[in-house]
Amino acid sequence: MHVPDGFIDAPTSAVTGVVAAGALAVSLRGARRELDERTAPLAGLVAAFIFAVQMLNFPVAAGTSGHLLGGALAAILVGPYTAVLCVSVVLLMQGVLFADGGLTALGVNITDMAIVTTVVAYAVFKALLAVLPRSRRSITAASFVAALLSVPAAAVVFTLIYAIGGTTDVSIAKVATAMIGVHVLIGIGEAVITALTVAAVVAVRPDLVHGARGLRQKLQLRVNGELVDAPDAAPAPAVARTSRRTLWITGLVTSLVLAGFVSFYASANPDGLEKVAHDKGIDKKTEPHHSSDSPLADYGVKDVANARLSGGLAGVIGVGVTVVAGSAVFWAVRRRHDHDASPANTSV
């Protein structure tokens, strides 16, 4: 879904840039309420994990692949405002360092891949939790559905943006049909990855998952040698099974392995947007990427001949840069919140 330069005209790109800038400003303020000393480090890790998993293209149809967008996953783990920042950090790193997604199209990509996916996914997630029991299974199921719907929603918004500012004369109806069709399939992969990741984190640290706040675990009592659930009037807080440091290190190592090793086995087929763009003629006016001469362009390290080593090193560098950049952003946001909440600033 990374839109390159040349797909969308300059005026439309400028408008989406303004929309993206406004959304980022709102998200910076909202993230101050979502982040605390426990969850701020997790947000940087979520950004790095999304970067890593986006390198793992999976086949979805003949000659087409897909990859995680990440808006749903980030929104459920760290909150919707922080999620917009997480995905935006990933898109910025990809565009500047890896020539993935146009720089003039950065506003389009943030609007579509960060804002739309996050807003749709979190709205669906909260709506489902409002009618489902507050349990871990419900959170996992709601995560699956939210992620599934967020991807075709992004495809719809891209089609609308292209209808307004597309640079080639193609049938919008055909573009919409192709985009939505292939991204429904990609959404299934997104849903599986999101649900499995959310379930894994909720299983060990439910207190760190934004979407699991208020989740309670039934207190079990031993009666006549058997464990039975205590009455609903006496719930016990969800139990943390691992330390924050252990979770962070495990997540970082997993991200490094995925980006540095597993990514070599990812599908080489074009992703959904690339395939549709080629088939429908959207890519006729694609412009060279402004970062095409980057030493990490196309997810490889310049002058490293071995493809496996080159891609692996690029993935590891990408995860490292993203986790540092993301952590710096969220640390600064958290410090700003602490400053605003200090007694000196709240006294009347």
Side-chain angles (χ1 to χ4, degrees), residues 30 49 71 81 88 137 156 184 235 250 262 273 277 282 284 308 316:
F49 182 77
Y81 294 107
S88 297
R137 289 183 179 180
V156 170
V184 167
T250 301
V262 180
L273 176 59
I282 294 176
K284 291 180 181 179
R308 185 190 297 270
V316 169

Side-chain angles (χ1 to χ4, degrees), residues 62-65 182 269-281 283:
T64 310
S65 69
V182 72
N269 292 330
D271 65 24
L273 176 59
E274 291 173 329
K275 179 67 173 175
V276 173
H278 177 73
D279 291 347
K280 305 302 179 184
D283 59 355

